[in-house]
Amino acid sequence: MRKILVVIIILFANLLSAFSISSKELTRIDSLIHIMTLDEKIGQMTQLCFSTITLDGSKSLDLNVDNFRESVIKYNIGSFLSGSDSYDKWFKFITAIQKIAVEETRLKIPLIIGIDHVHGANYVTEGTIFPHNISLACSFNQQVVAKVATVCAIETAPIGLTWNFAPVLDVGKNPYWPRFYETFGEDPFLCSEMGKTFIKTYEGCPHILPAKLSACAKHFIGYSDPKYGYDRTPSEIPAQVLWEFFVPPFKAAFDAGVKTVMINSGELNGEAVHGSKYLLDTLLRQQLGFKGVVVTDIKDIERLELMHKTVENQKEGTFRSVDAGIDMYMACNSYLFIRNMKELVAEGRISMKRIDESVGRILRLKFELGLFDNPYPSKQLLSKVNQTKNQIEAREVAEESIVLLKNDGILPLSKGKKILISGLGANSKGMLNGPWTFDWLGAPENQQPQNMKSLYESMQDKFGTKNLKYVDLEGINSEKEKKQFIRDAKNSDIILLAVGEKPYSEFMGNINDLTLDKMQLNLMDAAIETGKPVVVVLLEGRPRVFTEQADKINAILFAGYPGIKGAEALVNILSGSVNPSGKLAFTYPLSVGHVSPYYNKPSEYNIYWKNNPVRKNLFPFGQGLSYTNFEYSKLELSDTIFTKDNQEIMATIRIKNTGNLPGKEAVLWYVSDEIGTISRPVTLLKHFEKIDLKEGEEKTVKFIIKPNEQLSYPDKNGCQILENGSFKILVGGLEKRFYINKTNALF
Ligand code: GLC
């Protein structure tokens, strides 16, 4: 008894010190834990997929009540995930399962439901589908991310889905990786800023109160740079690189108060992350200070045995993962975890104290989300959902995320021109909404929203049906098809091709070659051969290589998967109604054999062949054109030497819109640390902001340089290093040198 009391006091102290949660609620959690049986505690640590409790075993929400009752009454399951249906079905389903959970179970603990609303309420039939994160990052506007998070919260909260498995905070350093489009791009600072904006906005959304929602920082850690490009395959990331390029977005998320973390399914430096005590306890909890709920990715304890082969069976996998620090297992469709946990407790290998730690975090999360007060969907919140308004925002987000990569003047398209439109995405809604739309791989064309337009349909609206000729071709596979295409193009003035990648997700998107597939390259070649101007829209999740064609094409737009209003957004840009302002949040590779992220150290080859500039990429990080011009001038620094720790230097730049159109400009500030004990990247993004400038208007934009924040870097132990030496600040093609010298020695 004394031992239990000591455990309770320790737990109480930990929880109280950990969070701003009322002592009353803590007492309640504490009392709950005190009276919970082992089965009830382990049930709270187990999450099942809805497919185990629906009639047909799919995500569609027809409840199999018997299965559900067995899961919550016999097995005390505390959490479920992943369904996809209409608001009406969601409403009925969540109401039914929460009612059984809070009325028929012994302790009446409400369920917490997880969902992957990763680009809007994408598992609700009527949901507003936004562009994926890679496009949001290209806007270089945190307000764009805040808009998406707000609409997503407003459309998710009414149906009681309180746990969103978003945002992905993996840094998109490997363009082969099939989840590249889920990242905020290749720069750690950009990922940090966009990720924390999503989290703060989503978890703090005032429009849905009293409902509260949890985001989820995923996938901790090192998932996004698999050595061979395939999903869930080993990453080899040196400790110093991990700290400098992979930790920051997660640290920013923890500092922003994110309530949950999901773990990387892969391996990092030989360790299966789900079984790594160093990564899940030392790094995540002790060094980075995360105190919330850690959930596994789907069936990843099983994978310790079946895929990573780091344990000989499920029971050892359970021990390894729980001992490493997971709180909840996304078991999906198996109760084996429960049996293994009971055996491990009976054998004394997992202590009740360890279990109470996880259960305490899970109950605290449910309390903080208000689930004990009201776990039910809300008709009042549902009545506030304004799809029309939300879809306007979806179009504006897409417009600000689309990147004009190349334009020889053919854009904007003039009215009255005869336009031939063709290609994989020309008349496809699925290619606009992309993956994780109604299902993880995206929905078939006949299940896409009826009220949505394809690019072809939207082009007809804007340019007139008689000026549009649609050639229904995904690509060209023969000389005969090529000749026919050239004949079809005879009476057209311009050729518009929508090319890219059909939606894919995770390992289903593994590729061996980053080059765009041959049939689409053939289509571009045929279009070029007509001798008419060619405009290409890229609808893809990662930068597929098409250099030879790109050099001959007149205009290129990167649109990612632009969402439910993506067609209208693209047409507004193609027609000039909207001035594009996106910039690449990643490097567009020149060739498949040499992918060099923008901040890579220049190879010796580059330095010693300076009179033969090596073309490092097709388009660089930060590439993005406008229909107007922005002139940068007068880069000035308030000082050129740091001599004191808390000193700041103000950098200012003048930017003028010298064209005859209003426009938005993403102002990207980089810093180069010219000499570093640890080899420094050529340059790193350290600040960005989006400004509006009317034609002729000019503004002064500033960036306050704070040495500890922007000029230091981590060593292999994560300790920040701030060294004397020379630095450069770069913005808009201008640069200025400054120094750190805390010893006042002369340079
Ligand atoms: C998937 C993904 C993860 C997602 C989870 C639940 O395997 O890796 O991002 O949140 O399963 O759907």
Side-chain angles (χ1 to χ4, degrees):
M1 186 57 194
R2 207 173 102 76
K3 207 173 168 201
I4 292 176
L5 204 58
V6 167
V7 167
I8 288 170
I9 291 165
I10 293 167
L11 186 89
F12 184 88
N14 284 345
L15 280 170
L16 200 57
S17 67
F19 308 107
S20 55
I21 191 168
S22 71
S23 52
K24 181 167 142 295
E25 278 182 329
L26 274 176
T27 314
R28 209 169 147 196
I29 292 173
D30 213 46
S31 331
L32 253 183
I33 290 177
H34 186 50
I35 60 174
M36 286 170 81
T37 64
L38 175 62
D39 286 18
E40 287 164 335
K41 291 178 180 178
I42 296 171
Q44 287 298 312
M45 295 173 70
T46 312
Q47 182 181 60
L48 293 187
C49 295
F50 275 144
S51 51
T52 56
I53 56 166
T54 53
L55 283 178
D56 64 359
S58 77
K59 284 192 166 87
S60 62
L61 300 176
D62 301 302
L63 184 62
N64 180 327
V65 183
D66 296 342
N67 281 10
F68 177 67
R69 277 211 169 84
E70 181 190 44
S71 67
V72 290
I73 295 171
K74 181 178 175 190
Y75 292 102
N76 310 290
I77 299 300
S79 179
F80 289 84
L81 78 135
S82 282
S84 181
D85 220 316
S86 65
Y87 267 123
D88 181 53
K89 291 286 283 293
W90 268 115
F91 213 93
K92 291 186 177 105
F93 190 87
I94 299 295
T95 302
I97 63 175
Q98 288 287 18
K99 188 168 168 41
I100 293 171
V102 300
E103 291 184 0
E104 299 183 26
T105 61
R106 185 175 83 91
L107 296 173
K108 310 187 183 327
I109 297 173
L111 302 170
I112 184 167
I113 312 296
I115 195 78
D116 290 287
H117 277 178
V118 293
H119 61 135
N122 48 257
Y123 276 161
V124 180
T125 314
E126 304 91 332
T128 301
I129 309 297
F130 284 90
H132 274 281
N133 289 346
I134 195 66
S135 294
L136 307 187
C138 290
S139 74
F140 282 91
N141 186 351
Q142 285 163 276
Q143 289 317 306
V144 161
V145 171
K147 249 185 198 178
V148 176
T150 300
V151 171
C152 186
I154 288 169
E155 294 193 352
T156 303
I159 42 181
L161 303 181
T162 53
W163 190 6
N164 190 0
F165 298 139
V168 166
L169 295 178
D170 304 300
V171 178
K173 281 187 74 177
N174 186 330
Y176 275 87
W177 190 47
R179 306 193 71 169
F180 185 84
Y181 61 84
E182 296 184 65
T183 73
F184 287 112
E186 73 187 39
D187 179 81
F189 175 70
L190 182 57
C191 290
S192 302
E193 294 299 291
M194 296 315 206
K196 79 180 180 187
T197 301
F198 182 92
I199 289 160
K200 282 181 173 173
T201 309
Y202 195 77
E203 295 194 342
C205 184
H207 309 293
I208 56 167
L209 291 174
K212 289 181 212 146
L213 302 174
S214 171
C216 182
K218 71 182 188 180
H219 309 76
F220 189 84
I221 190 170
Y223 184 23
S224 56
D225 194 11
K227 191 168 183 177
Y228 305 108
Y230 276 17
D231 181 42
R232 289 179 164 86
T233 55
S235 302
E236 292 170 12
I237 304 170
Q240 194 280 331
V241 174
L242 191 77
W243 275 103
E244 185 159 16
F245 294 102
F246 293 84
V247 166
F250 287 97
K251 185 71 179 73
F254 304 157
D255 294 346
V258 71
K259 300 178 199 297
T260 67
V261 162
M262 186 183 294
I263 302 306
N264 161 17
S265 299
E267 293 172 17
L268 175 59
N269 300 331
E271 279 200 299
V273 180
H274 275 85
S276 167
K277 194 152 183 131
Y278 165 68
L279 294 171
L280 303 192
D281 186 51
T282 310
L283 179 59
L284 177 56
R285 298 259 187 220
Q286 295 175 40
Q287 291 180 298
L288 297 177
F290 180 65
K291 293 179 169 43
V293 171
V294 172
V295 64
T296 71
D297 202 337
I298 206 154
K299 299 162 77 78
D300 268 305
I301 285 181
E302 289 172 42
R303 282 199 180 103
L304 291 178
E305 177 201 1
L306 303 178
M307 180 168 96
H308 303 293
K309 303 192 184 303
T310 51
V311 292
E312 59 272 23
N313 56 47
Q314 297 292 309
K315 182 171 161 186
E316 288 314 308
T318 302
F319 172 75
R320 182 77 59 83
S321 203
V322 173
D323 183 55
I326 68 110
D327 294 313
M328 188 184 287
Y329 179 35
M330 194 184 288
C332 189
N333 54 8
S334 158
Y335 292 114
L336 195 52
F337 172 74
I338 293 173
R339 194 184 76 200
N340 288 328
M341 282 289 279
K342 289 169 76 169
E343 286 178 15
L344 289 163
V345 171
E347 293 159 9
R349 295 179 62 194
I350 289 183
S351 69
M352 191 61 79
K353 177 174 175 290
R354 172 66 192 85
I355 288 180
D356 289 351
E357 271 173 4
S358 292
V359 175
R361 292 180 188 126
I362 294 163
L363 293 178
R364 180 225 165 259
L365 176 63
K366 292 185 175 184
F367 266 110
E368 198 175 36
L369 297 178
L371 288 167
F372 280 92
D373 299 328
N374 175 18
Y376 293 108
S378 159
K379 284 201 186 313
Q380 187 258 337
L381 285 178
L382 194 56
S383 67
K384 285 166 75 174
V385 174
N386 178 342
Q387 247 98 21
T388 309
K389 175 178 175 292
N390 297 345
Q391 291 201 4
I392 289 168
E393 302 216 354
R395 193 201 73 240
E396 290 166 350
V397 164
E399 285 165 350
E400 197 166 339
S401 307
I402 289 165
V403 185
L404 178 58
L405 290 171
K406 181 179 180 184
N407 182 23
D408 68 357
I410 187 68
L411 295 181
L413 299 174
S414 359
K415 289 266 183 192
K417 292 286 185 191
K418 299 265 182 236
I419 301 166
L420 179 149
I421 180 171
S422 187
L424 208 52
N427 201 22
S428 160
K429 298 177 183 179
M431 287 275 287
L432 296 171
N433 277 333
W436 297 97
T437 303
F438 313 135
D439 198 7
W440 71 311
L441 296 171
E445 211 59 28
N446 62 2
Q447 290 171 26
Q448 295 292 336
Q450 291 310 307
N451 64 347
M452 172 183 180
K453 290 195 186 279
S454 70
L455 181 58
Y456 169 46
E457 290 162 336
S458 198
M459 285 292 288
Q460 286 182 304
D461 292 347
K462 182 71 99 173
F463 290 91
T465 311
K466 63 179 182 12
N467 290 322
L468 256 292
K469 178 184 179 77
Y470 170 52
V471 175
D472 184 3
L473 266 184
E474 293 194 352
I476 285 180
N477 293 306
S478 68
E479 199 54 30
K480 182 168 171 276
E481 286 179 352
K482 177 175 156 183
K483 287 194 170 61
Q484 179 56 50
F485 180 82
I486 292 171
R487 277 196 297 275
D488 288 340
K490 201 156 67 56
N491 300 324
S492 301
D493 302 316
I494 293 167
I495 296 173
L496 172 62
L497 300 180
V499 303
E501 300 181 294
K502 287 183 176 173
Y504 55 88
S505 188
E506 303 184 34
F507 49 88
M508 300 295 282
N510 287 341
I511 52 172
N512 299 315
D513 184 346
L514 201 55
T515 312
L516 195 63
D517 49 278
K518 192 73 187 108
M519 70 168 190
Q520 296 195 80
L521 296 177
N522 292 343
L523 178 60
M524 289 191 210
D525 289 339
I528 293 162
E529 198 171 313
T530 66
K532 299 170 189 292
V534 179
V535 176
V536 163
V537 171
L538 298 168
L539 297 170
E540 56 185 5
R542 61 200 143 187
R544 301 303 292 269
V545 173
F546 67 115
T547 302
E548 189 192 320
Q549 291 75 15
D551 286 346
K552 300 172 192 163
I553 284 166
N554 304 74
I556 302 169
L557 290 146
F558 172 80
Y561 294 112
I564 195 167
K565 299 301 261 185
E568 291 84 339
L570 276 164
V571 170
N572 282 341
I573 287 174
L574 289 164
S575 64
S577 306
V578 168
N579 191 355
S581 66
K583 292 190 173 181
L584 277 190
F586 56 92
T587 304
Y588 209 107
L590 192 68
S591 69
V592 296
H594 182 239
V595 176
S596 59
Y598 84 97
Y599 39 71
N600 263 19
K601 210 66 183 146
S603 67
E604 184 178 293
Y605 180 79
N606 287 353
I607 295 175
Y608 293 105
W609 287 57
K610 57 181 177 302
N611 51 3
N612 166 19
V614 172
R615 197 176 171 193
K616 274 182 64 181
N617 48 57
L618 181 61
F619 299 109
F621 178 96
Q623 171 77 8
L625 304 176
S626 169
Y627 291 145
T628 187
N629 291 302
F630 297 103
E631 189 181 82
Y632 286 70
S633 63
K634 297 187 190 124
L635 171 57
E636 284 163 9
L637 300 179
S638 59
D639 201 332
T640 55
I641 189 158
F642 283 102
T643 53
K644 297 186 296 297
D645 261 349
N646 55 4
Q647 182 186 350
E648 296 175 351
I649 288 184
M650 167 93 78
T652 56
I653 185 85
R654 291 291 286 162
I655 302 167
K656 182 173 185 179
N657 178 347
T658 56
N660 51 19
L661 277 174
K664 294 178 190 290
E665 172 70 349
V667 184
L668 310 184
W669 295 84
Y670 300 88
V671 168
S672 291
D673 180 349
E674 297 189 280
I675 301 154
T677 307
I678 292 171
S679 171
R680 300 291 68 225
V682 174
T683 187
L684 277 174
L685 183 73
K686 291 294 181 184
H687 181 66
F688 60 87
E689 66 180 284
K690 199 81 174 266
I691 62 171
D692 286 285
L693 284 174
K694 296 186 187 63
E695 52 277 33
E697 185 182 9
E698 61 181 313
K699 284 180 182 171
T700 296
V701 174
K702 68 181 181 192
F703 164 36
I704 297 174
I705 307 169
K706 299 170 184 164
N708 287 317
E709 212 175 295
Q710 284 121 9
L711 308 181
S712 66
Y713 61 88
D715 66 12
K716 64 179 187 307
N717 301 313
C719 304
Q720 287 300 109
I721 303 172
L722 181 63
E723 296 177 306
N724 285 345
S726 64
F727 296 77
K728 280 195 296 189
I729 186 141
L730 307 96
V731 59
L734 304 176
E735 60 181 58
K736 270 220 188 291
R737 186 163 278 123
F738 63 94
Y739 303 88
I740 291 182
N741 178 358
K742 290 185 284 183
T743 60
N744 280 323
L746 287 178
F747 273 85

